Amino acid sequence: PSITTRTYAERAAKHPVPVAKQLLDICDRKKTNLCVSVDVTSKAGLLRIAEAAGPYCCCIKTHIDIVEDFDRDLVQQLQALADKHDFLIWEDRKFADIGSTVRLQYSSGIYKIASWAHITNAHLVPGEGILTGLASVGLPLGRGLLLLAEMSAKGNLATGEYTAKNVEAARRHPEFVMGFVAMRRVDEREETAGGVAPGEGADYVIMTPGVGLDSKGDGMGQQYRTPDEVIRESGCDVIIVGRGIYGGGDGNPNEEIVKQCKRYQEAGWKAYEDRLRQ
Ligand code: 6AU
């Protein structure tokens, strides 16, 4: 059976990347395929939104370098919330340099991303050395990586041959690359080709931004689709919702965040159940 007709629990049981297994298990346990993206600039705002959204999501996605008052305590509190509410932390760092540089960017500096983020992501622009560099830090810590095989914004260049190269590169790093940021089932062509060579038929978690129920775009290139279009029609696994939930700026009040989380959780889960029945 194709990946899109398997349940999260079935896929978790067989996934080679521990953190992907964890994520799929959380989706199954909490009945949610919602990842909440929190692009706010204060420590208090980030923690408040993570606390409010935590019960409804499988993952909280950060852009840690936009937080004005970052400190070590912020990541400790975020980790405590992740334990309390059973979600993973994804630092959306979009690494894009040579292996030896990303190794340092991932492990060191002010943020020490690898020490607290279960998941991070990277562009393949510099070539596969970026995977070797990131894996040298992330693998011993049990971390997972998403490759940006496609993007959501209008006119983006991650298409065609570039997208295919991302899938090929992922197949050569099956213990570390857990999936893709993509708009559709980018691994489907290979999957349906029916080959069973090593690494093929692998299970990738597709996490998809550009999800909104009330808006079609943001005037800066972002393009929104509904959870049903993303999960059922396009076969992606996790919806990433930012402004649709926290509302932009310093963020909606907690009651509004909870209300929107429930709305997207429900829509995403219904789309998943509908897809299993297709
Ligand atoms: O829901 P939004 O539009 O408020 O936020 C979307 C979030 C932002 C982007 O940095 C991120 O998703 N994103 C990504 C990721 C997750 O890598 C890739 C992409 O192609 N488009 C996109 O919006 O935090």
Side-chain angles (χ1 to χ4, degrees):
S2 92
I3 285 175
T4 52
T5 59
R6 268 180 250 154
T7 64
Y8 294 130
E10 285 163 352
R11 293 169 59 187
K14 290 192 180 161
H15 210 288
V17 181
V19 83
K21 186 189 278 296
Q22 251 180 296
L23 182 70
L24 292 163
D25 268 332
I26 294 173
C27 291
D28 177 61
R29 205 160 42 231
K30 291 174 73 178
K31 297 204 181 324
T32 181
N33 50 29
L34 171 64
C35 167
V36 178
S37 168
V38 193
D39 296 11
V40 298
T41 56
S42 74
K43 169 181 171 180
L46 174 50
L47 290 172
R48 176 181 70 83
I49 296 168
E51 169 78 278
Y56 311 100
C57 63
C58 58
C59 182
I60 294 275
K61 187 177 78 58
T62 58
H63 278 299
I64 209 66
D65 59 356
I66 68 177
V67 177
E68 307 259 8
D69 51 350
F70 172 88
D71 61 10
R72 213 54 211 157
D73 179 62
L74 166 55
V75 291
Q76 278 161 7
Q77 288 203 51
L78 195 57
Q79 285 177 303
L81 288 176
D83 287 342
K84 175 176 163 194
H85 294 300
D86 195 19
F87 62 76
L88 297 187
I89 306 169
W90 167 9
E91 164 53 22
D92 186 0
R93 174 61 178 76
K94 296 188 177 70
F95 291 101
D97 213 324
I98 59 167
S100 125
T101 301
V102 295
R103 185 170 52 89
L104 297 168
Q105 291 173 319
Y106 190 24
S107 63
S108 309
I110 292 170
Y111 301 118
K112 307 189 196 322
I113 293 166
S115 75
W116 52 270
H118 303 96
I119 301 170
T120 191
N121 51 347
H123 290 291
L124 193 63
V125 171
E128 270 181 62
I130 192 170
L131 300 183
T132 317
L134 291 172
S136 74
V137 174
L139 260 187
L141 296 169
R143 305 310 189 196
L145 185 79
L146 299 163
L147 276 172
L148 284 125
E150 290 184 328
M151 295 193 74
S152 62
K154 194 164 192 272
N156 79 80
L157 309 180
T159 62
E161 193 58 21
Y162 180 75
T163 300
K165 294 273 187 206
N166 275 266
V167 180
E168 286 167 29
R171 293 198 189 292
R172 287 190 280 272
H173 298 265
E175 65 301 318
F176 187 51
V177 180
M178 61 182 281
F180 304 99
V181 169
M183 303 297 117
R184 66 194 161 89
R185 203 77 240 165
V186 288
D187 53 347
E188 197 169 48
R189 183 169 53 85
E190 289 79 359
E191 189 200 333
T192 51
V196 281
E200 286 197 9
D203 182 341
Y204 293 107
V205 181
I206 311 264
M207 304 185 65
T208 307
V211 178
L213 283 163
D214 303 317
S215 160
K216 287 286 146 211
D218 67 354
M220 284 192 261
Q222 180 67 297
Q223 309 177 104
Y224 292 113
R225 295 183 296 164
T226 65
D228 186 67
E229 287 174 289
V230 167
I231 300 285
R232 188 186 55 80
E233 277 183 33
S234 305
C236 305
D237 299 312
V238 173
I239 52 170
I240 302 163
V241 185
R243 284 163 289 182
I245 284 175
Y246 73 81
D250 292 338
N252 285 324
N254 285 351
E255 316 80 73
E256 182 63 17
I257 288 168
V258 167
K259 181 177 151 200
Q260 293 302 333
C261 279
K262 288 181 175 166
R263 185 172 171 229
Y264 281 96
Q265 177 186 4
E266 237 168 69
W269 198 256
K270 178 175 189 307
Y272 162 70
E273 290 187 323
D274 288 347
R275 153 173 131 185
L276 290 177
R277 279 196 290 270
Q278 272 180 2

